[in-house]
Amino acid sequence: MKEDPKHKKTKKSNSKFKKKYKKRRIFFVISLLLLFIVGIIGFYVTNKLGKLNKDSSISVSKEDLGIDKATEDTLNSFSSSDDVVNIALFGLDQRTEDEPCRSDAIIVLSVDTAHKKLKLTSIMRDSYVNIDGHGKDKLNHAYAYGGPQLAIKTLNQNFKLNITDYVSINFFELEKLIDDLGGVVIDIKPAEVPFINDHMKEVASLTQTPVTPLKNSGSQNLNGRQALAYSRIRYQGNGDYERTDRQRKVLEAIMHKVLNSNVSQYPALLDKLGPHVTTSLSNMEILSLGTSVVTSGTTNIEQVRFPYDGYFNDSGKMIGEVWYLPYDLDETSNQIHEYIYNDNLPKSK
């Protein structure tokens, strides 16, 4: 007896439907698994980033941060403006809670994916600038007057920048951070050794903790206290100018250690970094920046200091019995822009 063609057609249709349904079910299960994995990873990363001290008090208003239209137009004229993100880094000097908190180190970190570089641009703390509501004063006083927001606004207004976020660390926290990272490798000059040991004794007298003095010069792995003392040397070499160079070297050593770490070590690094720093960056912004650095191959770290050599008076100037560093503000702003966006350094005079 021959099979009814209609019945045969129905069997084929049912078979196709079952196969199609099975494929959809497999796809649905795989999709759920992927969503679950992504969710777990997202929760894990967010949990790690959540250990950072977050500051949500920074205004998102460009006016409050000192970014005007003229500044935006100037920066937008650079072809690489969309490929550069500037973040203020503040190294804070506050030994007791009652002491005013000044930004002893002021550095603009530029994530420059156009030129595949991370740039550390120090701006001298004694630079003579206008601080909104306080008149002319030293740049590092802005943080003491109005915290990170006024410090960012002062940088933006004086140097025509568009910084909206910051990362800060107290120098005593820097010591703990470096210890947590296993130290940093720095090349120490013979003349720096006694200054490092003297600074460590001063800190030890405040904290009542032991000191491990340096015995030799040369390239070596410094612990947190040794690296902190190195970055604080002021009265050796070229004074405060050379001190900013030491501060950048310590930061560069920390960044190299993080960037050269295996990806599998990042969660542990976040655990170590988190408790020691405060930032206005959100978790998503941190992830976005980190992704852009990794995907663009931005691992080269450069450092420079402004005002640049030859464009200021080395001896500074006494104004009202206070020492300041006057300089050509317009020229310095243009030089900073050229370096950050066009990757061009000025020629020393």
Side-chain angles (χ1 to χ4, degrees):
M1 188 175 187
K2 289 185 178 180
E3 188 176 8
D4 187 348
K6 289 184 179 179
H7 179 66
K8 191 175 181 181
K9 188 176 180 181
T10 303
K11 280 181 70 178
K12 285 183 179 179
S13 297
N14 288 338
S15 177
K16 284 181 181 179
F17 176 78
K18 286 178 180 179
K19 286 180 180 179
K20 192 173 182 181
Y21 177 75
K22 189 176 181 180
K23 285 180 181 179
R24 284 182 177 176
R25 187 169 58 182
I26 292 170
F27 177 76
F28 180 70
V29 171
I30 291 173
S31 298
L32 279 179
L33 283 171
L34 286 173
L35 283 171
F36 178 74
I37 292 168
V38 170
I40 290 293
I41 293 172
F43 174 79
Y44 182 70
V45 172
T46 302
N47 181 52
K48 294 294 180 184
L49 290 174
K51 294 183 179 180
L52 293 168
N53 297 308
K54 298 294 178 60
D55 179 6
S56 59
S57 67
I58 299 298
S59 174
V60 295
S61 164
K62 291 180 180 179
E63 183 180 349
D64 289 343
L65 293 173
I67 305 171
D68 57 24
K69 188 176 184 304
T71 294
E72 288 189 304
D73 289 343
T74 297
L75 300 184
N76 287 337
S77 67
F78 293 98
S79 59
S80 62
S81 61
D82 292 335
D83 300 310
V84 176
V85 176
N86 295 315
I87 301 164
L89 304 183
F90 299 117
L92 307 179
D93 183 15
Q94 186 182 33
R95 304 186 183 193
T96 65
E97 290 184 3
D98 298 330
E99 188 178 47
C101 186
R102 294 185 178 89
S103 49
D104 204 44
I106 303 157
I107 297 174
V108 178
L109 166 63
S110 300
V111 181
D112 181 0
T113 54
H115 300 100
K116 301 186 187 305
K117 291 179 180 180
L118 298 174
K119 298 172 180 176
L120 297 172
T121 303
S122 286
I123 301 180
M124 296 290 289
R125 66 174 195 161
D126 293 321
S127 297
Y128 196 46
V129 298
N130 184 63
I131 302 176
D132 191 36
H134 299 274
K136 289 280 191 176
D137 208 331
K138 293 188 178 188
L139 177 60
N140 72 325
H141 287 183
Y143 203 104
Y145 292 144
Q149 178 151 322
L150 183 57
I152 292 172
K153 185 175 186 178
T154 302
L155 287 170
N156 287 338
Q157 287 184 327
N158 284 272
F159 302 103
K160 308 303 179 187
L161 294 170
N162 60 352
I163 301 168
T164 57
D165 287 291
Y166 80 96
V167 176
S168 70
I169 182 167
N170 188 293
F171 278 116
F172 286 95
E173 289 297 314
L174 182 67
E175 176 182 334
K176 298 173 189 174
L177 168 60
I178 291 171
D179 281 337
D180 284 344
L181 292 174
V184 289
V185 176
I186 303 289
D187 191 5
I188 304 298
K189 299 174 183 177
E192 293 170 335
V193 173
F195 286 92
I196 291 172
N197 289 334
D198 286 344
H199 274 290
M200 286 196 291
K201 289 177 185 176
E202 181 187 346
V203 174
S205 67
L206 291 170
T207 58
Q208 300 298 308
T209 51
V211 168
T212 304
L214 286 186
K215 297 179 180 179
N216 303 302
S217 58
S219 181
Q220 54 196 294
N221 192 65
L222 304 184
N223 65 28
R225 181 155 300 175
Q226 292 166 343
L228 173 61
Y230 168 77
S231 70
R232 301 300 299 276
I233 296 173
R234 188 176 186 184
Y235 300 108
Q236 195 282 320
N238 195 18
D240 209 31
Y241 307 108
E242 199 166 327
R243 180 169 71 159
T244 64
D245 181 56
R246 295 187 190 97
Q247 292 167 347
R248 292 192 304 273
K249 283 180 180 177
V250 171
L251 277 178
E252 184 178 353
I254 292 171
M255 293 171 72
H256 268 303
K257 196 148 198 174
V258 173
L259 290 172
N260 292 330
S261 299
N262 190 286
V263 175
S264 62
Q265 296 175 294
Y266 284 178
L269 286 170
L270 278 173
D271 278 339
K272 293 173 181 177
L273 290 166
H276 304 302
V277 300
T278 299
T279 182
S280 60
L281 291 162
S282 68
N283 288 348
M284 288 303 298
E285 287 170 331
I286 294 170
L287 286 171
S288 176
L289 277 172
T291 301
S292 67
V293 168
V294 172
T295 56
S296 65
T298 305
T299 57
N300 186 23
I301 303 174
E302 283 188 356
Q303 53 165 305
V304 71
R305 180 255 304 151
F306 289 96
Y308 205 66
D309 290 345
Y311 294 89
F312 59 90
N313 186 340
D314 288 354
S315 59
K317 185 178 181 181
M318 294 296 294
I319 302 174
E321 299 184 355
V322 178
W323 188 89
Y324 295 96
L325 180 66
Y327 53 95
D328 187 326
L329 180 57
D330 289 336
E331 183 66 27
T332 296
S333 296
N334 292 335
Q335 290 171 350
I336 291 174
H337 295 163
E338 274 294 318
Y339 174 61
I340 289 177
Y341 294 100
N342 283 343
D343 206 32
N344 294 325
L345 276 174
K347 294 180 180 179
S348 298
K349 287 185 179 179

